[in-house]
């Protein structure tokens, strides 16, 4: 059975217990849901259910199609999406689930998806070092430079997400920056992951300043801020990047699960 929800919030509310089984993996549903005010062919919230199993999907353009639940219902769900001309684009979800969906899409529809980003979701619960006093919150005067750094970060990660200037302006308090030679050279941001955890993201250091431990200073400082609030610090790391993997593990982060972004060839 296919159910098209009138909006994103309706999907989250009806499936709250299911989504709570893995709050880290399902957090994007909670973040995107309020922005899908009315389901259409471009932005939508849809689920498939059979014999007590469910597969949920949520699409907020221009971002990836979020997937959560049982891969055994992938054929039914995507039969509906494709036959009714829903926009699909890239896929984001647990690695095992997306592997299963990608295999089904190729065998049934001849649509080939490959994993473009393979990520480990990690968490840290303990202080491992002192914070850096030079790490600060940016001001309005830093907005243009911050946006340029964020744009470089997106490009380095191979992401397609556009950098929204106004959104960055409204969230300046979520960013932490480190200056050297009168300019921003390293940064990170922090946002809500779950009620018990905050997520570190947008970790970036200018190429000419890398190898000096600046990202370590910023990430460790942000992690300590999170722990001081009684929360768990979390982040995503590229599984194929040994440098960042080593950095985060040395700061006490441990992998919880793997997820991936899959793109149509």
């Amino acid at each position: 059975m296919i159910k098209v929800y009138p909006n994103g919030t309706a999907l989250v509310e009806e499936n709250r217990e299911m989504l709570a089984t893995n709050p880290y993996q399902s957090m994007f549903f909670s973040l995107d849901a309020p922005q899908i005010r009315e389901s259409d062919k471009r932005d939508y919230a849809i689920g498939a259910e059979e014999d007590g199993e469910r597969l949920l999907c949520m699409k907020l353009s221009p971002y990836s199609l979020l997937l959560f639940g049982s891969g055994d219902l992938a054929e039914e769900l995507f039969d509906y999406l494709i036959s009714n001309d829903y926009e699909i684009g890239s896929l984001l979800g647990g690695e095992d689930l997306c592997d299963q969906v990608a295999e089904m899409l190729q065998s049934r529809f001849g649509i080939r998806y490959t994993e473009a980003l393979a990520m480990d979701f990690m968490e840290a619960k303990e202080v491992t070092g002192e914070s850096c006093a030079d790490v600060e919150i940016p001001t309005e005067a830093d907005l243009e430079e911050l946006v340029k750094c964020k744009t470089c970060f997106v490009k380095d990660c191979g992401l397609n997400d556009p950098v929204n200037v106004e959104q960055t302006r409204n969230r300046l308090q979520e960013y932490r920056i480190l200056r050297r030679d009168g300019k921003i050279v390293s940064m990170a941001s922090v946002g809500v992951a779950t009620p018990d955890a905050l997520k570190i993201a947008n970790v970036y250091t200018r190429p000419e300043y890398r190898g000096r431990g600046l990202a370590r200073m910023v990430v460790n400082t942000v992690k300590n801020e999170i722990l001081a609030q009684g929360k768990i610090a979390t982040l995503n790391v590229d599984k194929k990047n040994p440098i960042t993997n080593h950095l985060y593990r040395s700061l006490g982060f441990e992998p919880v699960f793997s997820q991936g972004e899959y793109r149509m060839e």
Side-chain angles (χ1 to χ4, degrees):
M1 180 184 72
I2 296 293
K3 180 169 184 178
V4 179
Y5 292 86
N7 52 59
T9 301
L11 179 147
V12 169
E13 289 296 330
E14 184 170 307
N15 298 280
R16 189 171 296 280
E17 185 175 344
M18 173 188 172
L19 293 170
T21 59
N22 192 329
Y24 288 154
Q25 194 169 334
S26 65
M27 66 181 174
F28 290 112
F29 281 81
S30 299
L31 293 173
D32 288 355
Q35 301 181 66
I36 302 177
R37 297 181 176 87
E38 183 177 354
S39 283
D40 54 33
K41 297 299 176 71
R42 189 165 182 262
D43 298 335
Y44 52 85
I46 298 176
E49 182 172 359
E50 184 177 340
D51 298 330
E53 295 290 323
R54 276 173 287 173
L55 177 59
L56 307 177
C57 73
M58 184 179 289
K59 181 74 168 71
L60 175 64
S61 296
Y63 306 112
S64 300
L65 176 68
L66 303 177
L67 295 170
F68 186 87
S70 172
D72 293 339
L73 298 177
E75 185 171 327
E76 180 181 0
L77 177 62
F78 281 87
D79 266 342
Y80 181 84
L81 296 178
I82 292 171
S83 63
N84 287 280
D85 298 321
Y86 281 87
E87 182 178 302
I88 297 176
S90 58
L91 313 174
L92 180 65
E95 203 167 37
D96 291 342
L97 172 59
C98 286
D99 277 341
Q100 188 174 353
V101 171
E103 183 178 343
M104 182 279 300
L105 286 170
Q106 183 171 1
S107 62
R108 172 142 174 79
F109 299 101
I111 304 173
R112 183 174 174 80
Y113 275 84
T114 56
E115 189 175 38
L117 293 172
M119 300 168 284
D120 274 335
F121 191 90
M122 309 179 82
E123 65 176 19
K125 300 179 180 180
E126 296 181 359
V127 173
T128 55
E130 295 183 1
S131 298
C132 174
D134 292 337
V135 175
E136 58 183 296
I137 300 174
T139 67
E140 180 76 19
D142 298 310
L143 179 62
E144 182 177 353
E145 192 178 0
L146 188 67
V147 168
K148 288 181 179 178
C149 288
K150 191 172 177 182
T151 301
C152 290
F153 163 76
V154 170
K155 183 178 179 181
D156 282 0
C157 291
L159 300 173
N160 296 319
D161 301 351
V163 176
N164 187 308
V165 176
E166 285 306 308
Q167 185 182 72
T168 305
R169 185 197 307 276
N170 294 334
R171 295 180 175 176
L172 282 174
Q173 293 296 308
E174 298 177 4
Y175 285 84
R176 299 295 181 269
I177 59 173
L178 189 62
R179 303 181 200 270
R180 292 289 186 270
D181 305 321
K183 60 185 177 184
I184 298 173
V185 296
S186 190
M187 71 170 195
S189 66
V190 60
V192 175
T194 71
D196 300 317
L198 295 175
K199 185 179 179 183
I200 301 171
N202 297 300
V203 179
Y204 175 76
T205 300
R206 292 179 186 265
E208 64 270 29
Y209 285 87
R210 293 174 186 172
R212 306 184 189 183
L214 303 180
R216 169 180 289 275
M217 296 178 193
V218 177
V219 173
N220 184 61
T221 300
V222 176
K223 185 192 83 169
N224 288 348
E225 288 185 24
I226 294 171
L227 297 178
Q229 298 176 51
K231 304 283 188 179
I232 300 170
T234 67
L235 50 75
N236 274 328
V237 60
D238 184 348
K239 293 172 68 174
K240 299 177 182 178
N241 189 326
I243 296 175
T244 51
N245 267 278
H246 175 74
L247 167 63
Y248 297 142
R249 287 175 185 270
S250 71
L251 291 173
F253 286 91
E254 298 180 353
V256 180
F257 68 91
S258 295
Q259 60 184 354
E261 181 184 5
Y262 289 65
R263 297 176 188 169
M264 190 185 306
E265 290 188 352

PDB file of all heavy atoms in Angstrom, residues 107-140:
ATOM      1  N   SER A 107      17.958  -3.337 -12.033  1.00  0.00           N
ATOM      2  CA  SER A 107      17.403  -4.582 -12.568  1.00  0.00           C
ATOM      3  C   SER A 107      15.986  -4.397 -13.094  1.00  0.00           C
ATOM      4  O   SER A 107      15.602  -4.987 -14.106  1.00  0.00           O
ATOM      5  CB  SER A 107      17.426  -5.678 -11.498  1.00  0.00           C
ATOM      6  OG  SER A 107      16.618  -5.321 -10.391  1.00  0.00           O
ATOM      7  N   ARG A 108      15.196  -3.556 -12.425  1.00  0.00           N
ATOM      8  CA  ARG A 108      13.781  -3.414 -12.821  1.00  0.00           C
ATOM      9  C   ARG A 108      13.568  -2.306 -13.841  1.00  0.00           C
ATOM     10  O   ARG A 108      12.744  -2.443 -14.757  1.00  0.00           O
ATOM     11  CB  ARG A 108      12.924  -3.159 -11.584  1.00  0.00           C
ATOM     12  CG  ARG A 108      11.465  -2.815 -11.911  1.00  0.00           C
ATOM     13  CD  ARG A 108      10.513  -3.425 -10.932  1.00  0.00           C
ATOM     14  NE  ARG A 108       9.137  -3.005 -11.148  1.00  0.00           N
ATOM     15  CZ  ARG A 108       8.338  -3.500 -12.096  1.00  0.00           C
ATOM     16  NH1 ARG A 108       8.783  -4.406 -12.945  1.00  0.00           N
ATOM     17  NH2 ARG A 108       7.091  -3.085 -12.213  1.00  0.00           N
ATOM     18  N   PHE A 109      14.290  -1.211 -13.699  1.00  0.00           N
ATOM     19  CA  PHE A 109      14.022  -0.049 -14.546  1.00  0.00           C
ATOM     20  C   PHE A 109      15.194   0.311 -15.468  1.00  0.00           C
ATOM     21  O   PHE A 109      15.076   1.210 -16.294  1.00  0.00           O
ATOM     22  CB  PHE A 109      13.689   1.172 -13.675  1.00  0.00           C
ATOM     23  CG  PHE A 109      12.470   0.988 -12.816  1.00  0.00           C
ATOM     24  CD1 PHE A 109      12.601   0.682 -11.471  1.00  0.00           C
ATOM     25  CD2 PHE A 109      11.200   1.115 -13.360  1.00  0.00           C
ATOM     26  CE1 PHE A 109      11.477   0.517 -10.666  1.00  0.00           C
ATOM     27  CE2 PHE A 109      10.072   0.952 -12.570  1.00  0.00           C
ATOM     28  CZ  PHE A 109      10.207   0.642 -11.222  1.00  0.00           C
ATOM     29  N   GLY A 110      16.320  -0.368 -15.300  1.00  0.00           N
ATOM     30  CA  GLY A 110      17.485  -0.033 -16.105  1.00  0.00           C
ATOM     31  C   GLY A 110      18.098   1.296 -15.743  1.00  0.00           C
ATOM     32  O   GLY A 110      18.830   1.903 -16.528  1.00  0.00           O
ATOM     33  N   ILE A 111      17.802   1.777 -14.532  1.00  0.00           N
ATOM     34  CA  ILE A 111      18.349   3.047 -14.052  1.00  0.00           C
ATOM     35  C   ILE A 111      19.539   2.740 -13.150  1.00  0.00           C
ATOM     36  O   ILE A 111      19.405   2.033 -12.146  1.00  0.00           O
ATOM     37  CB  ILE A 111      17.299   3.857 -13.268  1.00  0.00           C
ATOM     38  CG1 ILE A 111      16.057   4.094 -14.130  1.00  0.00           C
ATOM     39  CG2 ILE A 111      17.890   5.184 -12.801  1.00  0.00           C
ATOM     40  CD1 ILE A 111      14.906   4.735 -13.373  1.00  0.00           C
ATOM     41  N   ARG A 112      20.692   3.254 -13.495  1.00  0.00           N
ATOM     42  CA  ARG A 112      21.907   2.929 -12.754  1.00  0.00           C
ATOM     43  C   ARG A 112      22.272   4.029 -11.767  1.00  0.00           C
ATOM     44  O   ARG A 112      22.441   5.193 -12.153  1.00  0.00           O
ATOM     45  CB  ARG A 112      23.064   2.680 -13.719  1.00  0.00           C
ATOM     46  CG  ARG A 112      24.355   2.262 -13.040  1.00  0.00           C
ATOM     47  CD  ARG A 112      25.431   1.886 -14.040  1.00  0.00           C
ATOM     48  NE  ARG A 112      26.701   1.623 -13.398  1.00  0.00           N
ATOM     49  CZ  ARG A 112      27.018   0.489 -12.804  1.00  0.00           C
ATOM     50  NH1 ARG A 112      26.141  -0.496 -12.782  1.00  0.00           N
ATOM     51  NH2 ARG A 112      28.197   0.310 -12.239  1.00  0.00           N
ATOM     52  N   TYR A 113      22.382   3.652 -10.506  1.00  0.00           N
ATOM     53  CA  TYR A 113      22.850   4.551  -9.443  1.00  0.00           C
ATOM     54  C   TYR A 113      24.175   4.027  -8.904  1.00  0.00           C
ATOM     55  O   TYR A 113      24.362   2.811  -8.764  1.00  0.00           O
ATOM     56  CB  TYR A 113      21.841   4.607  -8.288  1.00  0.00           C
ATOM     57  CG  TYR A 113      20.727   5.607  -8.471  1.00  0.00           C
ATOM     58  CD1 TYR A 113      19.586   5.277  -9.195  1.00  0.00           C
ATOM     59  CD2 TYR A 113      20.800   6.878  -7.918  1.00  0.00           C
ATOM     60  CE1 TYR A 113      18.555   6.186  -9.360  1.00  0.00           C
ATOM     61  CE2 TYR A 113      19.774   7.794  -8.065  1.00  0.00           C
ATOM     62  CZ  TYR A 113      18.650   7.444  -8.790  1.00  0.00           C
ATOM     63  OH  TYR A 113      17.634   8.354  -8.949  1.00  0.00           O
ATOM     64  N   THR A 114      25.082   4.934  -8.599  1.00  0.00           N
ATOM     65  CA  THR A 114      26.336   4.557  -7.955  1.00  0.00           C
ATOM     66  C   THR A 114      26.557   5.434  -6.725  1.00  0.00           C
ATOM     67  O   THR A 114      26.059   6.568  -6.648  1.00  0.00           O
ATOM     68  CB  THR A 114      27.533   4.714  -8.914  1.00  0.00           C
ATOM     69  OG1 THR A 114      27.570   6.062  -9.399  1.00  0.00           O
ATOM     70  CG2 THR A 114      27.432   3.760 -10.081  1.00  0.00           C
ATOM     71  N   GLU A 115      27.299   4.900  -5.785  1.00  0.00           N
ATOM     72  CA  GLU A 115      27.573   5.624  -4.540  1.00  0.00           C
ATOM     73  C   GLU A 115      28.598   6.720  -4.796  1.00  0.00           C
ATOM     74  O   GLU A 115      29.754   6.454  -5.109  1.00  0.00           O
ATOM     75  CB  GLU A 115      28.084   4.663  -3.472  1.00  0.00           C
ATOM     76  CG  GLU A 115      28.190   5.295  -2.093  1.00  0.00           C
ATOM     77  CD  GLU A 115      28.593   4.298  -1.028  1.00  0.00           C
ATOM     78  OE1 GLU A 115      29.432   3.417  -1.317  1.00  0.00           O
ATOM     79  OE2 GLU A 115      28.067   4.385   0.091  1.00  0.00           O
ATOM     80  N   ALA A 116      28.156   7.972  -4.669  1.00  0.00           N
ATOM     81  CA  ALA A 116      29.044   9.115  -4.887  1.00  0.00           C
ATOM     82  C   ALA A 116      29.756   9.525  -3.608  1.00  0.00           C
ATOM     83  O   ALA A 116      30.903   9.971  -3.635  1.00  0.00           O
ATOM     84  CB  ALA A 116      28.246  10.305  -5.423  1.00  0.00           C
ATOM     85  N   LEU A 117      29.074   9.368  -2.475  1.00  0.00           N
ATOM     86  CA  LEU A 117      29.656   9.704  -1.178  1.00  0.00           C
ATOM     87  C   LEU A 117      29.379   8.566  -0.203  1.00  0.00           C
ATOM     88  O   LEU A 117      28.224   8.166  -0.039  1.00  0.00           O
ATOM     89  CB  LEU A 117      29.060  11.010  -0.627  1.00  0.00           C
ATOM     90  CG  LEU A 117      29.374  12.292  -1.388  1.00  0.00           C
ATOM     91  CD1 LEU A 117      28.554  13.448  -0.819  1.00  0.00           C
ATOM     92  CD2 LEU A 117      30.857  12.611  -1.293  1.00  0.00           C
ATOM     93  N   ALA A 118      30.426   8.065   0.418  1.00  0.00           N
ATOM     94  CA  ALA A 118      30.288   7.031   1.449  1.00  0.00           C
ATOM     95  C   ALA A 118      30.729   7.630   2.776  1.00  0.00           C
ATOM     96  O   ALA A 118      31.874   8.064   2.918  1.00  0.00           O
ATOM     97  CB  ALA A 118      31.144   5.817   1.107  1.00  0.00           C
ATOM     98  N   MET A 119      29.815   7.675   3.734  1.00  0.00           N
ATOM     99  CA  MET A 119      30.082   8.390   4.977  1.00  0.00           C
ATOM    100  C   MET A 119      29.858   7.512   6.205  1.00  0.00           C
ATOM    101  O   MET A 119      28.977   6.651   6.212  1.00  0.00           O
ATOM    102  CB  MET A 119      29.185   9.627   5.072  1.00  0.00           C
ATOM    103  CG  MET A 119      29.389  10.627   3.945  1.00  0.00           C
ATOM    104  SD  MET A 119      28.092  11.892   3.886  1.00  0.00           S
ATOM    105  CE  MET A 119      26.746  10.947   3.151  1.00  0.00           C
ATOM    106  N   ASP A 120      30.669   7.742   7.221  1.00  0.00           N
ATOM    107  CA  ASP A 120      30.430   7.170   8.534  1.00  0.00           C
ATOM    108  C   ASP A 120      29.852   8.257   9.425  1.00  0.00           C
ATOM    109  O   ASP A 120      30.380   9.384   9.467  1.00  0.00           O
ATOM    110  CB  ASP A 120      31.737   6.658   9.159  1.00  0.00           C
ATOM    111  CG  ASP A 120      32.067   5.245   8.737  1.00  0.00           C
ATOM    112  OD1 ASP A 120      31.136   4.504   8.385  1.00  0.00           O
ATOM    113  OD2 ASP A 120      33.264   4.890   8.753  1.00  0.00           O
ATOM    114  N   PHE A 121      28.777   7.935  10.120  1.00  0.00           N
ATOM    115  CA  PHE A 121      28.226   8.842  11.113  1.00  0.00           C
ATOM    116  C   PHE A 121      28.900   8.507  12.436  1.00  0.00           C
ATOM    117  O   PHE A 121      28.897   7.352  12.859  1.00  0.00           O
ATOM    118  CB  PHE A 121      26.715   8.670  11.225  1.00  0.00           C
ATOM    119  CG  PHE A 121      26.049   9.735  12.038  1.00  0.00           C
ATOM    120  CD1 PHE A 121      25.595  10.901  11.443  1.00  0.00           C
ATOM    121  CD2 PHE A 121      25.890   9.579  13.409  1.00  0.00           C
ATOM    122  CE1 PHE A 121      24.987  11.897  12.196  1.00  0.00           C
ATOM    123  CE2 PHE A 121      25.287  10.568  14.172  1.00  0.00           C
ATOM    124  CZ  PHE A 121      24.825  11.730  13.562  1.00  0.00           C
ATOM    125  N   MET A 122      29.505   9.522  13.081  1.00  0.00           N
ATOM    126  CA  MET A 122      30.302   9.285  14.279  1.00  0.00           C
ATOM    127  C   MET A 122      29.777  10.103  15.457  1.00  0.00           C
ATOM    128  O   MET A 122      29.124  11.139  15.271  1.00  0.00           O
ATOM    129  CB  MET A 122      31.769   9.646  14.014  1.00  0.00           C
ATOM    130  CG  MET A 122      32.354   9.010  12.767  1.00  0.00           C
ATOM    131  SD  MET A 122      34.085   9.472  12.472  1.00  0.00           S
ATOM    132  CE  MET A 122      34.922   8.307  13.570  1.00  0.00           C
ATOM    133  N   GLU A 123      30.081   9.650  16.664  1.00  0.00           N
ATOM    134  CA  GLU A 123      29.697  10.397  17.861  1.00  0.00           C
ATOM    135  C   GLU A 123      30.836  10.402  18.873  1.00  0.00           C
ATOM    136  O   GLU A 123      31.691   9.510  18.878  1.00  0.00           O
ATOM    137  CB  GLU A 123      28.435   9.822  18.488  1.00  0.00           C
ATOM    138  CG  GLU A 123      28.581   8.423  19.040  1.00  0.00           C
ATOM    139  CD  GLU A 123      27.336   7.899  19.750  1.00  0.00           C
ATOM    140  OE1 GLU A 123      26.228   8.440  19.541  1.00  0.00           O
ATOM    141  OE2 GLU A 123      27.488   6.936  20.535  1.00  0.00           O
ATOM    142  N   ALA A 124      30.860  11.449  19.709  1.00  0.00           N
ATOM    143  CA  ALA A 124      31.850  11.571  20.785  1.00  0.00           C
ATOM    144  C   ALA A 124      31.134  11.990  22.061  1.00  0.00           C
ATOM    145  O   ALA A 124      30.242  12.841  22.039  1.00  0.00           O
ATOM    146  CB  ALA A 124      32.915  12.602  20.412  1.00  0.00           C
ATOM    147  N   LYS A 125      31.559  11.404  23.171  1.00  0.00           N
ATOM    148  CA  LYS A 125      30.889  11.651  24.446  1.00  0.00           C
ATOM    149  C   LYS A 125      31.843  12.132  25.534  1.00  0.00           C
ATOM    150  O   LYS A 125      31.405  12.392  26.658  1.00  0.00           O
ATOM    151  CB  LYS A 125      30.190  10.378  24.924  1.00  0.00           C
ATOM    152  CG  LYS A 125      29.135   9.853  23.963  1.00  0.00           C
ATOM    153  CD  LYS A 125      28.499   8.571  24.477  1.00  0.00           C
ATOM    154  CE  LYS A 125      27.440   8.042  23.525  1.00  0.00           C
ATOM    155  NZ  LYS A 125      26.814   6.788  24.030  1.00  0.00           N
ATOM    156  N   GLU A 126      33.144  12.253  25.200  1.00  0.00           N
ATOM    157  CA  GLU A 126      34.113  12.621  26.226  1.00  0.00           C
ATOM    158  C   GLU A 126      35.054  13.719  25.744  1.00  0.00           C
ATOM    159  O   GLU A 126      35.405  13.771  24.557  1.00  0.00           O
ATOM    160  CB  GLU A 126      34.944  11.394  26.638  1.00  0.00           C
ATOM    161  CG  GLU A 126      34.135  10.290  27.286  1.00  0.00           C
ATOM    162  CD  GLU A 126      35.002   9.117  27.687  1.00  0.00           C
ATOM    163  OE1 GLU A 126      36.233   9.168  27.429  1.00  0.00           O
ATOM    164  OE2 GLU A 126      34.475   8.156  28.265  1.00  0.00           O
ATOM    165  N   VAL A 127      35.477  14.571  26.676  1.00  0.00           N
ATOM    166  CA  VAL A 127      36.469  15.603  26.389  1.00  0.00           C
ATOM    167  C   VAL A 127      37.831  14.945  26.226  1.00  0.00           C
ATOM    168  O   VAL A 127      38.215  14.092  27.025  1.00  0.00           O
ATOM    169  CB  VAL A 127      36.523  16.649  27.527  1.00  0.00           C
ATOM    170  CG1 VAL A 127      37.665  17.633  27.308  1.00  0.00           C
ATOM    171  CG2 VAL A 127      35.200  17.390  27.632  1.00  0.00           C
ATOM    172  N   THR A 128      38.547  15.323  25.167  1.00  0.00           N
ATOM    173  CA  THR A 128      39.870  14.737  24.921  1.00  0.00           C
ATOM    174  C   THR A 128      40.980  15.782  24.915  1.00  0.00           C
ATOM    175  O   THR A 128      42.156  15.431  24.816  1.00  0.00           O
ATOM    176  CB  THR A 128      39.885  13.997  23.569  1.00  0.00           C
ATOM    177  OG1 THR A 128      39.469  14.895  22.538  1.00  0.00           O
ATOM    178  CG2 THR A 128      38.959  12.793  23.599  1.00  0.00           C
ATOM    179  N   GLY A 129      40.621  17.043  24.998  1.00  0.00           N
ATOM    180  CA  GLY A 129      41.634  18.096  24.993  1.00  0.00           C
ATOM    181  C   GLY A 129      41.005  19.449  25.264  1.00  0.00           C
ATOM    182  O   GLY A 129      39.784  19.619  25.170  1.00  0.00           O
ATOM    183  N   GLU A 130      41.824  20.426  25.602  1.00  0.00           N
ATOM    184  CA  GLU A 130      41.332  21.760  25.917  1.00  0.00           C
ATOM    185  C   GLU A 130      40.880  22.505  24.667  1.00  0.00           C
ATOM    186  O   GLU A 130      41.393  22.282  23.561  1.00  0.00           O
ATOM    187  CB  GLU A 130      42.419  22.566  26.627  1.00  0.00           C
ATOM    188  CG  GLU A 130      42.801  22.017  27.996  1.00  0.00           C
ATOM    189  CD  GLU A 130      43.830  22.900  28.688  1.00  0.00           C
ATOM    190  OE1 GLU A 130      44.212  23.938  28.103  1.00  0.00           O
ATOM    191  OE2 GLU A 130      44.234  22.546  29.806  1.00  0.00           O
ATOM    192  N   SER A 131      39.924  23.403  24.846  1.00  0.00           N
ATOM    193  CA  SER A 131      39.438  24.229  23.750  1.00  0.00           C
ATOM    194  C   SER A 131      40.471  25.277  23.364  1.00  0.00           C
ATOM    195  O   SER A 131      41.380  25.597  24.148  1.00  0.00           O
ATOM    196  CB  SER A 131      38.127  24.923  24.141  1.00  0.00           C
ATOM    197  OG  SER A 131      37.120  23.974  24.420  1.00  0.00           O
ATOM    198  N   CYS A 132      40.339  25.816  22.160  1.00  0.00           N
ATOM    199  CA  CYS A 132      41.237  26.861  21.662  1.00  0.00           C
ATOM    200  C   CYS A 132      40.574  28.218  21.858  1.00  0.00           C
ATOM    201  O   CYS A 132      39.471  28.466  21.342  1.00  0.00           O
ATOM    202  CB  CYS A 132      41.542  26.640  20.188  1.00  0.00           C
ATOM    203  SG  CYS A 132      42.497  27.953  19.415  1.00  0.00           S
ATOM    204  N   ALA A 133      41.230  29.111  22.582  1.00  0.00           N
ATOM    205  CA  ALA A 133      40.662  30.417  22.888  1.00  0.00           C
ATOM    206  C   ALA A 133      40.504  31.299  21.656  1.00  0.00           C
ATOM    207  O   ALA A 133      39.730  32.264  21.665  1.00  0.00           O
ATOM    208  CB  ALA A 133      41.537  31.128  23.926  1.00  0.00           C
ATOM    209  N   ASP A 134      41.210  30.984  20.576  1.00  0.00           N
ATOM    210  CA  ASP A 134      41.141  31.801  19.362  1.00  0.00           C
ATOM    211  C   ASP A 134      39.911  31.509  18.512  1.00  0.00           C
ATOM    212  O   ASP A 134      39.596  32.276  17.592  1.00  0.00           O
ATOM    213  CB  ASP A 134      42.392  31.581  18.499  1.00  0.00           C
ATOM    214  CG  ASP A 134      43.649  32.120  19.147  1.00  0.00           C
ATOM    215  OD1 ASP A 134      43.533  33.016  20.006  1.00  0.00           O
ATOM    216  OD2 ASP A 134      44.752  31.639  18.799  1.00  0.00           O
ATOM    217  N   VAL A 135      39.231  30.411  18.787  1.00  0.00           N
ATOM    218  CA  VAL A 135      38.032  30.072  18.018  1.00  0.00           C
ATOM    219  C   VAL A 135      36.901  30.996  18.449  1.00  0.00           C
ATOM    220  O   VAL A 135      36.634  31.154  19.638  1.00  0.00           O
ATOM    221  CB  VAL A 135      37.644  28.597  18.233  1.00  0.00           C
ATOM    222  CG1 VAL A 135      36.320  28.279  17.531  1.00  0.00           C
ATOM    223  CG2 VAL A 135      38.747  27.681  17.710  1.00  0.00           C
ATOM    224  N   GLU A 136      36.229  31.617  17.469  1.00  0.00           N
ATOM    225  CA  GLU A 136      35.205  32.620  17.776  1.00  0.00           C
ATOM    226  C   GLU A 136      33.972  32.461  16.906  1.00  0.00           C
ATOM    227  O   GLU A 136      33.976  31.718  15.919  1.00  0.00           O
ATOM    228  CB  GLU A 136      35.786  34.022  17.596  1.00  0.00           C
ATOM    229  CG  GLU A 136      36.320  34.274  16.192  1.00  0.00           C
ATOM    230  CD  GLU A 136      36.970  35.639  16.044  1.00  0.00           C
ATOM    231  OE1 GLU A 136      36.246  36.639  16.181  1.00  0.00           O
ATOM    232  OE2 GLU A 136      38.191  35.683  15.797  1.00  0.00           O
ATOM    233  N   ILE A 137      32.925  33.187  17.261  1.00  0.00           N
ATOM    234  CA  ILE A 137      31.691  33.229  16.484  1.00  0.00           C
ATOM    235  C   ILE A 137      31.804  34.358  15.470  1.00  0.00           C
ATOM    236  O   ILE A 137      32.190  35.473  15.822  1.00  0.00           O
ATOM    237  CB  ILE A 137      30.476  33.469  17.403  1.00  0.00           C
ATOM    238  CG1 ILE A 137      30.363  32.351  18.439  1.00  0.00           C
ATOM    239  CG2 ILE A 137      29.196  33.564  16.576  1.00  0.00           C
ATOM    240  CD1 ILE A 137      29.288  32.587  19.477  1.00  0.00           C
ATOM    241  N   PRO A 138      31.495  34.113  14.195  1.00  0.00           N
ATOM    242  CA  PRO A 138      31.605  35.168  13.189  1.00  0.00           C
ATOM    243  C   PRO A 138      30.531  36.243  13.370  1.00  0.00           C
ATOM    244  O   PRO A 138      29.504  36.022  14.023  1.00  0.00           O
ATOM    245  CB  PRO A 138      31.405  34.419  11.869  1.00  0.00           C
ATOM    246  CG  PRO A 138      30.583  33.229  12.238  1.00  0.00           C
ATOM    247  CD  PRO A 138      31.044  32.834  13.616  1.00  0.00           C
ATOM    248  N   THR A 139      30.776  37.402  12.773  1.00  0.00           N
ATOM    249  CA  THR A 139      29.823  38.512  12.812  1.00  0.00           C
ATOM    250  C   THR A 139      29.320  38.787  11.399  1.00  0.00           C
ATOM    251  O   THR A 139      29.764  38.175  10.421  1.00  0.00           O
ATOM    252  CB  THR A 139      30.478  39.778  13.366  1.00  0.00           C
ATOM    253  OG1 THR A 139      31.487  40.227  12.431  1.00  0.00           O
ATOM    254  CG2 THR A 139      31.134  39.503  14.722  1.00  0.00           C
ATOM    255  N   GLU A 140      28.412  39.736  11.278  1.00  0.00           N
ATOM    256  CA  GLU A 140      27.880  40.120   9.972  1.00  0.00           C
ATOM    257  C   GLU A 140      28.996  40.516   9.015  1.00  0.00           C
ATOM    258  O   GLU A 140      28.913  40.259   7.809  1.00  0.00           O
ATOM    259  CB  GLU A 140      26.893  41.284  10.149  1.00  0.00           C
ATOM    260  CG  GLU A 140      26.265  41.798   8.876  1.00  0.00           C
ATOM    261  CD  GLU A 140      25.165  40.907   8.331  1.00  0.00           C
ATOM    262  OE1 GLU A 140      24.633  40.088   9.096  1.00  0.00           O
ATOM    263  OE2 GLU A 140      24.863  41.027   7.129  1.00  0.00           O
TER     264      GLU A 140
END
